[in-house]
Amino acid sequence: MKKAVYPGTFDPVTFGHIDVIRRSANIVDELVIGVLVNNQKTPLFTPEERVEMLKSVTKDIPNVTIVAFNGLLIDFAKSQNANFVIRGLRAVTDFEYELQMAQTNRIIDPDVDTIFLTTSLEYAYLSSSTVREVASFRGDISKFVPEHIARLVEQKINQMK
Ligand code: PNS
C-alpha cells in the first residue's frame, strides 16, 4: 500500500494546495495531510482552524485524512507509516529549499522518499503568504482560495485590526 504525507503550514489552504492534494490522492492509496504546529512563522490561523479548513476542502476525497503534527517531518511520516512525502514545486525559487529539505530527510531516513509535483501553471504564482498579504489590504482573494475560506480569512483579518 502506498501511503504519503503532504506536510505544510496551510495558513490558509489555497487552490494551489488543493490541486496538489487532488493529484497526490490519485497517485497513492492513502494521503495524510500534515499541518505543522510548531512553526517558526506565526500563523494567522490556529492548528485546529487549519485542520478544519483542510477537512472542509477535502471532504469529497475519500483517501485523505488531516493530522496536526509537531517536530520533525520525517518522524511524522514514520508515525503515519508513510513511505512518501509529497511537496509541490511552483518555480525555481522553491527548488533550493525543497532540495535541501528532501536531501536532509533522506539522510535522516532513507526509507522515506520525497515526491515533487509541479504545481499546475494557473497556480504557479500562488502562496498562502500572498493570500494573507492581499487580504490584509482588503483585496479580493476569491481567485486564490475557496469562497468559504476567503470569508474565514477576511473574518480573521478583521478580528486582528
Ligand atoms: O507550507 P510550508 O511552510 O512550505 O511547509 C514547510 C514544512 C512544514 C514542510 C517544513 O517546515 C517542515 O517539514 N517542518 C518540520 C520540521 C522539519 O522536519 N524540517 C525539515 C528538516 S530539513
Side-chain angles (χ1 to χ4, degrees):
M1 197 188 71
K2 291 193 182 71
K3 187 169 181 180
V5 293
Y6 175 43
T9 311
F10 304 107
D11 187 44
V13 61
T14 68
F15 283 133
H17 295 129
I18 296 169
D19 171 56
V20 171
I21 292 167
R22 287 195 183 284
R23 287 160 57 207
S24 346
N26 277 334
I27 297 172
V28 297
D29 300 300
E30 270 188 57
L31 181 69
V32 181
I33 303 177
V35 178
L36 184 66
V37 175
N38 62 337
N39 207 326
Q40 283 162 356
K41 309 166 194 169
T42 308
L44 187 61
F45 289 95
T46 66
E48 294 76 20
E49 289 169 331
R50 286 178 277 141
V51 166
E52 279 314 308
M53 286 191 283
L54 279 156
K55 280 187 179 164
S56 69
V57 299
T58 58
K59 58 179 187 293
D60 63 322
I61 318 175
N63 58 339
V64 170
T65 50
I66 326 290
V67 177
F69 79 100
N70 264 303
L72 282 179
L73 168 59
I74 212 74
D75 292 337
F76 173 63
K78 276 284 169 198
S79 73
Q80 295 293 323
N81 294 316
N83 336 72
F84 304 103
V85 171
I86 306 268
R87 290 290 287 169
L89 271 185
R90 287 167 301 192
V92 72
T93 42
D94 283 341
F95 184 75
E96 211 167 322
Y97 169 68
E98 293 297 336
L99 182 71
Q100 187 183 28
M101 194 162 74
Q103 287 177 335
T104 306
N105 286 337
R106 204 163 146 64
I107 298 284
I108 300 173
D109 190 338
D111 292 338
V112 179
D113 254 314
T114 301
I115 298 177
F116 292 109
L117 291 189
T118 52
T119 313
S120 296
L121 275 181
E122 69 246 63
Y123 306 125
Y125 64 93
L126 186 53
S127 69
S128 296
S129 57
T130 306
V131 173
R132 294 194 304 273
E133 170 96 0
V134 173
S136 73
F137 293 107
R138 315 279 180 210
D140 176 13
I141 55 169
S142 61
K143 292 198 171 69
F144 310 144
V145 299
E147 191 60 35
H148 69 288
I149 303 289
R151 297 291 84 79
L152 292 171
V153 175
E154 285 156 12
Q155 276 169 27
K156 188 63 101 168
I157 300 259
N158 285 338
Q159 280 166 18
M160 289 174 61
K161 291 207 167 164

